[in-house]
Amino acid sequence: MKVNKLAPEKGARASSLKWRNTKAQRCTTRVNLSELPSTPVMVKMIKEHQAAVKKKPKVKRLERKAMTVSGSKEKKHTSFESEKTYLANTNGKSEVTMNIDADDWQEWSTNGKSSLGNGEKSADGVETVSSGRLEGESFHCCAERDEDRNHAVLVMQKSQTLCFRGKCLLTCLYGRVEVMGFTIEEGQQPYPLFSPASHCPLTVTALGSTDDARDEGMEATAILRKYLTPASQIRLLRKINLNSSVILLEPMETSLTRFLCSFPDLSELFSPPVSELMSAVLDTPLNGLGMIPLVSDVEGLRMSKSYREALNTVVSACRDDGDGCVVVLVCGTKNVGKSTFIRVLLNTLLNHTTGIDYLEGDLGQTEFTPSGCLSLSTVTEPLLGPPFTHQRTPEHMIYYGQTSCDSDLDRYLESMKSLWSRRPQSRDTPVVINTMGWVKGFGFQMLVDVLRLLPVTHVVQLGHGESMHCATLTPDLLQTAQGYLTKPPAHTAMDEFTEGHSPARTYAHLAVQSAFQGVGRQGASKHQRSNELRELSLLAYLSQLQEAHQGPVRQLNCLTPYQVPHTAVAIGVTHCEVAPSHVLYAANASLVGLCCLPEKVTSRGGPVVLSHAPLCPCVGFGVLRGIDMARGLYFLLTPVDPSILRNVNCLLLGAITLPSCILTTQSGCEEEKPYVTTDYSFDLTGAGKMRVFKGIVRPGQVGK
């Protein structure tokens, strides 16, 4: 593909990663922060809350304890020498000098040792730790905010939790905390947390410190002095003990959040939904940072016993991988929490290794790409938010073009085999495979095929209630189940006496019963339906077109497109049959996959139209903003780097459409908006999409 922009080549990707504990080596550039404006809805909520709430709310206790964390690092004890001490900077591992006045230190140390943590005072005047959910007046006892620098420091005792809506940047200053299975320790980089209304709210759980010999008073003094005023330091120091965790919370604004919130329907995406308004704690030092705590009436992520046992089993297997890499396949019907389980699993594994391979097999709810893709990625950073908050370019990707594979099962299986073949067989990192929620009929046969085609070692099958809503995928069932392409192995009575007979394949089957609220049902609130989640992922991908620095959001019609000659690329349709003369009409103002054909594109002077959808690598996506037939040019908007665009020679149009808000909110269009019209009739012949089913028959018709 010839383009009119050039950019320096990007660095090569790191080589294969080894299984070891290297969490402390993670250190990336901090995200730029900015003041978060208060929306009218939130201002109204705060006023109503202050007028309605008169009495002190009671603190409810959490029934479950935090999960135990293994493999944590030991912290070095820091000594205090005269009036100056050298402490490790908790935000990057570099050493800084802290000047501590001796008198202040002695007074603060006495106050700190005479208290046990944030909670209620006992008869002798000593505070007792209050475990469970932080809510109500607890925040005024354990949190302090610096108005000038616009951040807050929160002290949490072991097993205490903070459940919230919103977004923020979290840095662990002292102790350890856990979020979605990932342990954040002092000395590590700040991590962005996203808790939008579209998904279950995030929960931060305090794990305490692992070093019983450290001098918490002196270290805490140096930490608090760096981030708070003297008065705030004294108040919080009394709450810190060896089992405390101290976290720094800062507001966060990125090009992604600015772009999403620029659309009217998404302006309250990071605010509590209507069902949680009465459970929001609005009068706390944290509210001005872009996060709203929730009381214990609102549940965070609920893990059943089988949920935790499956996580522990897989992690133990990965740590004891003496017989090759562990390959985990996660399956289950729709709305049972497969994606959430995978995020928790990946985060938990990242506590022990530097990377995990992830094979995406769910076309409808993809994790790292817009929907309609099958991909292979290496995960090296924790996933502390829903899929639209961590869109990234996979190592290998194939654009299938639909959210379901029911119209072309062969192409789906060939794509999965192609992606697996691109993974180096010598790589020893664990692999996690996501699958579709289609588990009946041909969907079940596809699962059987994937299990036979890939070297799976563990199958995690999620269900709810008292059943898995499909046959239990045990190794014994695989010996008799019929696949779409594969058949069960043939057995004879003499097999066990035959020298060349190979034993049946085996793997560990882990049954998980999901227990979260609303399991088995699609979310009914705003931003929770499956089509809305797909649109959020696509909008998040297109947000990469925005400038990285803090500036006004530019709509797509205001951006400068690439000019691509018709003769440089071929164009095709993946999901239905379109007459060659109508392909350009269908592709205009649509999302296209940027693909690389192995053969060179040859043209006789006009557009090159493919007769069928090829199976080829995809490097990203673009919006075909316009077509100039006179000059023979495509006008393409894409965030893909120009150095990669040089290899693109194919544009594939699928059934993944642009969100309507992209077209209806075009700026600078006072009258009629481009690509938008109300003068259209679906009664016209050919006005609707013509679907073609390739050899699919109902299961009851097989063999007739």
Side-chain angles (χ1 to χ4, degrees):
M1 175 188 292
K2 298 180 180 179
V3 298
N4 61 345
K5 299 182 182 179
L6 297 177
E9 296 282 349
K10 292 186 176 180
R13 191 175 182 87
S15 59
S16 61
L17 306 171
K18 298 297 181 183
W19 179 265
R20 59 184 183 275
N21 191 342
T22 54
K23 282 180 59 184
Q25 299 177 4
R26 296 190 184 94
C27 186
T28 60
T29 307
R30 291 175 64 96
V31 180
N32 293 331
L33 307 176
S34 65
E35 185 73 22
L36 289 179
S38 297
T39 63
V41 173
M42 294 312 303
V43 172
K44 181 180 179 182
M45 288 168 51
I46 293 174
K47 290 182 179 180
E48 292 178 353
H49 177 78
Q50 293 173 344
V53 179
K54 298 296 183 182
K55 59 182 180 180
K56 178 179 178 180
K58 296 181 180 180
V59 179
K60 295 188 178 180
R61 301 182 183 277
L62 192 66
E63 296 179 358
R64 301 184 314 275
K65 295 183 179 180
M67 292 177 61
T68 58
V69 179
S70 59
S72 56
K73 301 186 292 298
E74 295 183 356
K75 306 299 176 185
K76 294 184 178 179
H77 176 66
T78 309
S79 61
F80 178 72
E81 300 178 359
S82 64
E83 297 182 358
K84 183 178 292 187
T85 183
Y86 293 88
L87 299 174
N89 182 358
T90 58
N91 187 12
K93 293 282 186 181
S94 59
E95 292 186 350
V96 296
T97 304
M98 296 287 187
N99 295 320
I100 303 178
D101 185 83
D103 294 335
D104 289 345
W105 160 247
Q106 187 172 6
E107 177 186 356
W108 291 11
S109 178
T110 303
N111 291 334
K113 292 178 180 179
S114 64
S115 64
L116 298 177
N118 52 317
E120 299 178 357
K121 288 189 177 181
S122 60
D124 56 0
V126 179
E127 293 184 353
T128 57
V129 177
S130 177
S131 62
R133 178 77 63 85
L134 282 174
E135 56 185 23
E137 292 297 325
S138 301
F139 289 103
H140 296 282
C141 300
C142 61
E144 293 288 339
R145 181 179 176 184
D146 189 310
E147 298 288 348
D148 295 333
R149 288 178 283 185
N150 196 26
H151 61 226
V153 176
L154 176 65
V155 177
M156 302 176 67
Q157 305 308 321
K158 188 174 182 179
S159 299
Q160 282 188 331
T161 60
L162 167 64
C163 185
F164 72 96
R165 289 291 187 190
K167 57 187 186 299
C168 68
L169 203 64
L170 184 148
T171 306
C172 186
L173 305 178
Y174 183 89
R176 302 173 303 151
V177 296
E178 180 265 331
V179 184
M180 288 284 288
F182 183 74
T183 303
I184 304 175
E185 302 180 359
E186 56 183 284
Q188 293 182 348
Q189 67 187 65
Y191 287 98
L193 306 185
F194 299 90
S195 184
S198 57
H199 289 73
C200 173
L202 283 187
T203 300
V204 181
T205 304
L207 303 177
S209 176
T210 58
D211 187 0
D212 296 334
R214 66 190 305 178
D215 190 340
E216 76 279 3
M218 184 189 64
E219 294 188 32
T221 301
I223 291 172
L224 297 181
R225 176 170 289 185
K226 183 177 179 181
Y227 297 100
L228 296 175
T229 61
S232 298
Q233 295 171 36
I234 296 176
R235 287 193 291 269
L236 282 192
L237 189 65
R238 298 168 180 169
K239 311 294 180 183
I240 300 177
N241 57 54
L242 284 176
N243 287 324
S244 301
S245 297
V246 182
I247 58 176
L248 175 69
L249 300 171
E250 302 171 280
M252 177 180 60
E253 191 73 50
T254 65
S255 57
L256 164 66
T257 59
R258 288 188 296 111
F259 182 69
L260 292 179
C261 294
S262 67
F263 298 102
D265 289 342
L266 301 176
S267 59
E268 305 296 335
L269 178 62
F270 292 97
S271 300
V274 176
S275 59
E276 296 175 358
L277 290 181
M278 300 304 297
S279 302
V281 185
L282 300 174
D283 187 17
T284 73
L286 310 183
N287 294 126
L289 304 177
M291 56 187 303
I292 301 174
L294 303 173
V295 300
S296 54
D297 294 340
V298 178
E299 279 191 323
L301 176 62
R302 182 196 292 181
M303 296 185 185
S304 62
K305 181 181 179 181
S306 59
Y307 201 107
R308 296 179 185 275
E309 289 176 348
L311 289 172
N312 293 333
T313 300
V314 173
V315 172
S316 298
C318 291
R319 299 188 70 180
D320 302 331
D321 57 344
D323 299 329
C325 67
V326 174
V327 181
V328 184
L329 183 140
V330 181
C331 61
T333 187
K334 297 179 180 179
N335 304 312
V336 292
K338 294 190 300 296
S339 297
T340 301
F341 178 87
I342 287 175
R343 282 193 287 275
V344 175
L345 175 60
L346 293 174
N347 290 340
T348 305
L349 291 175
L350 284 175
N351 293 327
H352 310 283
T353 184
T354 55
I356 306 103
D357 289 341
Y358 176 76
L359 179 60
E360 180 63 83
D362 189 353
L363 292 167
Q365 301 297 333
T366 51
E367 190 70 29
F368 300 109
T369 67
S371 58
C373 297
L374 301 172
S375 62
L376 178 64
S377 307
T378 298
V379 183
T380 58
E381 292 294 330
L383 310 178
L384 306 179
F388 72 86
T389 63
H390 45 252
Q391 293 289 294
R392 60 192 64 171
T393 302
E395 292 183 355
H396 305 286
M397 178 169 58
I398 293 176
Y399 185 45
Y400 188 88
Q402 298 182 75
T403 58
S404 176
C405 66
D406 57 359
S407 64
D408 196 345
L409 304 183
D410 296 277
R411 187 163 180 257
Y412 175 87
L413 291 173
E414 288 300 322
S415 299
M416 292 290 286
K417 290 191 294 183
S418 175
L419 289 172
W420 182 260
S421 65
R422 294 177 181 274
R423 179 181 180 271
Q425 300 304 311
S426 60
R427 186 180 295 182
D428 57 357
T429 55
V431 184
V432 177
I433 304 173
N434 189 20
T435 59
M436 300 177 294
W438 184 23
V439 295
K440 294 184 179 180
F442 284 105
F444 179 78
Q445 294 182 10
M446 302 288 283
L447 277 175
V448 172
D449 285 339
V450 172
L451 283 172
R452 288 181 177 146
L453 295 173
L454 304 182
V456 177
T457 61
H458 293 74
V459 172
V460 180
Q461 189 169 2
L462 283 83
H464 65 90
E466 298 181 354
S467 67
M468 289 295 169
H469 302 276
C470 74
T472 305
L473 287 166
T474 60
D476 292 338
L477 178 69
L478 205 63
Q479 298 302 307
T480 58
Q482 179 73 34
Y484 175 72
L485 290 181
T486 63
K487 296 181 179 180
H491 297 285
T492 64
M494 298 298 295
D495 279 348
E496 57 180 320
F497 304 104
T498 304
E499 182 177 353
H501 172 66
S502 58
R505 274 194 55 195
T506 182
Y507 51 82
H509 179 268
L510 305 173
V512 174
Q513 290 295 325
S514 299
F516 60 88
Q517 186 177 7
V519 61
R521 302 192 308 270
Q522 182 176 242
S525 300
K526 193 174 182 180
H527 312 309
Q528 294 182 351
R529 298 178 180 87
S530 57
N531 62 316
E532 293 178 295
L533 298 179
R534 288 192 285 268
E535 288 187 352
L536 283 172
S537 294
L538 182 51
L539 288 172
Y541 181 85
L542 296 177
S543 70
Q544 301 176 49
L545 291 167
Q546 302 296 314
E547 298 291 340
H549 60 79
Q550 301 295 331
V553 173
R554 302 177 63 193
Q555 300 300 330
L556 297 190
N557 63 314
C558 300
L559 301 175
T560 303
Y562 291 101
Q563 299 181 23
V564 183
H566 289 175
T567 56
V569 295
I571 189 168
V573 182
T574 65
H575 60 291
C576 61
E577 294 183 1
V578 180
S581 59
H582 293 170
V583 168
L584 296 186
Y585 292 103
N588 192 26
S590 299
L591 183 78
V592 292
L594 309 180
C595 304
C596 304
L597 294 174
E599 62 274 4
K600 185 178 179 181
V601 175
T602 57
S603 171
R604 298 180 179 179
V608 180
V609 179
L610 299 176
S611 58
H612 65 280
L615 191 67
C616 57
C618 177
V619 298
F621 299 90
V623 177
L624 196 58
R625 178 179 163 179
I627 303 173
D628 190 335
M629 295 301 296
R631 294 190 294 169
L633 295 174
Y634 297 118
F635 295 98
L636 189 70
L637 291 171
T638 178
V640 178
D641 190 85
S643 61
I644 300 177
L645 285 177
R646 295 192 186 99
N647 301 320
V648 173
N649 58 0
C650 177
L651 305 179
L652 286 184
L653 172 68
I656 311 302
T657 59
L658 290 175
S660 58
C661 59
I662 289 286
L663 303 176
T664 58
T665 59
Q666 301 179 69
S667 59
C669 305
E670 298 179 356
E671 298 180 355
E672 184 177 356
K673 293 181 174 63
Y675 318 113
V676 179
T677 181
T678 58
D679 186 15
Y680 188 80
S681 175
F682 284 93
D683 296 330
L684 298 176
T685 302
K689 179 176 61 177
M690 183 175 60
R691 300 181 63 90
V692 178
F693 294 88
K694 302 182 178 179
I696 304 300
V697 296
R698 296 184 180 276
Q701 301 296 324
V702 175
K704 292 184 178 181

